[in-house]
Amino acid sequence: MKFTLLLLITLISTYTLNGQNNSEQTDYFADNGFGNAVAVVQHPVGVYHNGVTYVCYQGPLEDPYVVSYHHKTGEWKGPYKAGVSEMGKDQSRKNKIDNHGKPSMIIDNAGFIHITFGGHGGMKKHGENTLGNYHYGKNLHAVSKKPLDISSWETLDNISPFGTYNQLIKMDNGAIYLFYRHGAHRSDWVYQVSEDNGRTFTTPISFLKHKRRTDAAAVDSWYPYITRGKKDELIVVFDYHVCRDVKNAEDKRGHIGERHNIYYMNFDTNTGKWKNVFGESLKMPLTKEIADSKTMITNTNTNWTFQGVIDLDPNGSPHVCMTIGADIGEKKSAPKHMQHFRWDGEQWKQHKNSGLPIGKGDLKVKSKNNVSVYMESTNELGDAEVSRWDSFNAGETFNKANVFLSQQKSSYNISSLIDNAHPNARFVVAEKKSGSEYKKIYLLGDNGPVKRNKKDAHILEK
């Protein structure tokens, strides 16, 4: 009996020393994130479906990678490469990671997983772009070869090559909507629709129009965020980009990331009608003049905006968050706090000093008064932090409720919320460290990081 016990202890000790102990867990699920591996605008990066969370991110050479996590068994699969981007391979650009081709994901009604990736407006070699201009990469669409199987993929040639900032949405009837900018900055925003599980798509349909300004050396451009609203409705928050000519008299910096104002509209996918918050019909594609007069939430004047997000409360009233701050070119240290806006049925309520920190993230509206914002930010000690901020008075004030990750001398890129998210796996973040080519990727939920066996998470060592 003593010999058997001693042998068992010896075997366990040997197993542990060899690094095979399955109890050795880590907070990240992969270490091969590349560049800005995830972002809010390319969304969703994940879908929860039948007990499993599926996640995509930008990996080595800017190619899309996919993992899955089974919540009941704790089993991880992947990452598997889902396709090959035309970006990240040009040796003349080897020190320039483009980052605009990060993947977004959806699962169709037949269970096939779809990934869109790889585009930053496309190039002239891909054909004529009648809805905008060109830049780099090629917008691509990959589909899993088998339902709910992330191990093998095929690329389909059925979407425009000129896309960037892909946003995928599946409706209750199974229709898939793909929204994106049709080219570089001077391009329309468009959508394509599939009613056969992503095997074919309609031609691109413009909904935000780019056009030359008559009062300045610039072109009207846009940055929208689109997501599900009530039933067959889609909701959109967007800001305006002044796409200035290079080295013009107004601003000798030339083209810069200048954005202003906040706008809202919704789209009834049943009728094909676009409307503002008052229910007034909008003529499409929307111009700057109509947007200003019919859809504006607030005029930010000289302040800049960045990355709006939106959700509805149970009564159907929209809540919006947008990062707002001074011109970063003039005041590099100027704070750019996230601000909250709420439609009260008659007007937009703006909460400028609600307590939300400087940073980016997404929001979840649980009731008219209960709002949560998931953010990456810098805490009072100067450390990078990923946290949740809660409001119980309809966004007037927020307080930090939970810290999921915190690290010195680092920062994080955060995704939007996962589609149909499990409470234990709500969003994804990628670590950012100076001097580090590859990034650790985390899946976070109410209980913090979803852990993985440390050996399995070390993808780069395999």
Side-chain angles (χ1 to χ4, degrees):
M1 181 71 176
K2 290 182 179 179
F3 175 78
T4 302
L5 182 61
L6 180 62
L7 179 61
L8 181 61
I9 293 173
T10 302
L11 288 172
I12 292 174
S13 299
T14 302
Y15 189 65
T16 303
L17 288 172
N18 288 337
Q20 301 297 315
N21 184 3
N22 286 331
S23 66
E24 189 177 5
Q25 304 285 295
T26 187
D27 286 345
Y28 55 91
F29 65 79
D31 62 357
N32 69 333
F34 192 66
N36 299 329
V38 297
V40 173
V41 64
Q42 287 99 342
H43 75 93
V45 301
V47 179
Y48 174 69
H49 180 79
N50 289 349
V52 179
T53 295
Y54 300 85
V55 168
C56 63
Y57 63 93
Q58 180 173 274
L61 299 179
E62 301 189 59
D63 293 332
Y65 283 74
V66 181
V67 300
S68 66
Y69 175 74
H70 195 293
H71 287 262
K72 187 174 182 179
T73 65
E75 179 187 15
W76 284 93
K77 291 183 180 179
Y80 295 97
K81 186 161 71 171
V84 178
S85 173
E86 287 199 3
M87 297 190 288
K89 319 297 188 293
D90 187 345
Q91 291 299 310
S92 67
R93 296 172 58 100
K94 62 182 179 181
N95 295 322
K96 298 180 181 179
I97 303 172
D98 188 278
N99 280 320
H100 287 74
K102 290 184 286 292
S104 53
M105 167 189 287
I106 209 73
I107 299 176
D108 68 31
N109 275 5
F112 289 90
I113 307 168
H114 298 255
I115 302 288
T116 54
F117 66 96
H120 190 183
M123 296 177 277
K124 289 185 178 181
K125 69 178 184 178
H126 298 131
E128 182 184 4
N129 184 1
T130 60
L131 298 174
N133 59 344
Y134 310 87
H135 185 64
Y136 189 48
K138 179 182 181 181
N139 208 30
L140 296 167
H141 173 209
V143 184
S144 62
K145 290 185 177 180
K146 298 178 182 178
L148 306 180
D149 181 357
I150 64 172
S151 65
S152 58
W153 298 80
E154 61 179 331
T155 299
L156 304 181
D157 186 16
N158 62 359
I159 63 172
S160 171
F162 302 113
T164 189
Y165 299 124
N166 292 316
Q167 303 178 32
L168 281 164
I169 302 169
K170 189 184 76 170
M171 309 305 293
D172 290 341
N173 64 2
I176 296 172
Y177 283 75
L178 170 61
F179 289 85
Y180 57 90
R181 189 178 69 197
H182 201 276
H185 291 89
R186 300 179 173 197
S187 305
D188 286 4
W189 273 81
V190 306
Y191 64 94
Q192 293 184 253
V193 186
S194 174
E195 295 183 348
D196 57 2
N197 291 328
R199 300 299 157 171
T200 62
F201 282 85
T202 61
T203 57
I205 303 167
S206 296
F207 69 100
L208 285 173
K209 186 174 180 58
H210 81 286
K211 63 180 178 64
R212 165 71 51 181
R213 288 179 56 156
T214 58
D215 62 338
V219 171
D220 295 334
S221 188
W222 308 94
Y223 285 92
Y225 181 93
I226 307 102
T227 191
R228 288 285 303 267
K230 299 182 298 182
K231 297 181 180 179
D232 299 316
E233 175 190 75
L234 299 178
I235 50 177
V236 187
V237 59
F238 55 112
D239 54 358
Y240 170 70
H241 171 43
V242 187
C243 187
R244 299 191 185 278
D245 294 344
V246 176
K247 295 182 179 179
N248 60 78
E250 294 180 53
D251 193 323
K252 298 188 185 304
R253 289 173 291 175
H255 180 265
I256 49 178
E258 181 182 358
R259 308 187 199 179
H260 297 286
N261 307 338
I262 310 175
Y263 305 86
Y264 166 82
M265 61 183 176
N266 59 67
F267 176 39
D268 187 330
T269 62
N270 236 355
T271 64
K273 301 293 185 182
W274 292 82
K275 297 180 180 180
N276 64 10
V277 74
F278 296 103
E280 299 171 332
S281 294
L282 301 170
K283 183 180 178 181
M284 292 286 123
L286 200 72
T287 63
K288 171 71 160 50
E289 292 75 20
I290 297 175
D292 284 350
S293 64
K294 296 288 188 178
T295 68
M296 186 180 290
I297 295 175
T298 188
N299 186 335
T300 61
N301 297 307
T302 58
N303 279 336
W304 288 24
T305 52
F306 184 79
Q307 193 50 70
V309 288
I310 188 168
D311 195 17
L312 298 182
D313 67 26
N315 297 322
S317 295
H319 291 238
V320 166
C321 280
M322 179 75 77
T323 301
I324 302 175
D327 179 344
I328 56 174
E330 296 178 359
K331 300 178 181 179
K332 293 183 178 179
S333 61
K336 296 171 284 298
H337 288 275
M338 183 173 277
Q339 295 185 21
H340 176 269
F341 301 79
R342 174 179 64 88
W343 178 253
D344 70 357
E346 296 181 356
Q347 61 182 335
W348 289 100
K349 296 284 189 179
Q350 180 176 6
H351 305 127
K352 291 184 178 180
N353 302 306
S354 64
L356 288 172
I358 300 170
K360 300 183 290 295
D362 200 358
L363 81 162
K364 181 67 175 176
V365 182
K366 302 168 187 175
S367 70
K368 173 186 173 182
N369 293 315
N370 189 353
V371 183
S372 292
V373 179
Y374 298 81
M375 296 192 65
E376 60 80 21
S377 62
T378 302
N379 65 20
E380 58 275 7
L381 300 176
D383 300 332
E385 189 172 270
V386 182
S387 55
R388 189 187 81 233
W389 294 70
D390 289 343
S391 173
F392 298 99
N393 55 9
E396 290 185 24
T397 57
F398 285 85
N399 291 291
K400 192 187 320 185
N402 196 6
V403 176
F404 305 106
L405 287 175
S406 182
Q407 192 169 165
Q408 295 179 334
K409 298 180 180 179
S410 182
S411 61
Y412 296 100
N413 287 122
I414 190 170
S415 76
S416 62
L417 292 171
I418 287 170
D419 190 31
N420 189 39
H422 188 285
N424 293 336
R426 293 190 184 275
F427 60 103
V428 180
V429 298
E431 181 182 84
K432 290 181 66 178
K433 275 190 174 181
S434 59
S436 176
E437 183 178 13
Y438 292 99
K439 324 295 180 185
K440 295 183 174 74
I441 315 291
Y442 303 79
L443 177 61
L444 303 177
D446 292 349
N447 296 325
V450 180
K451 297 182 181 295
R452 189 174 193 182
N453 179 277
K454 189 173 184 180
K455 182 180 178 182
D456 293 337
H458 283 190
I459 310 302
L460 295 173
E461 296 181 0
K462 298 175 182 177

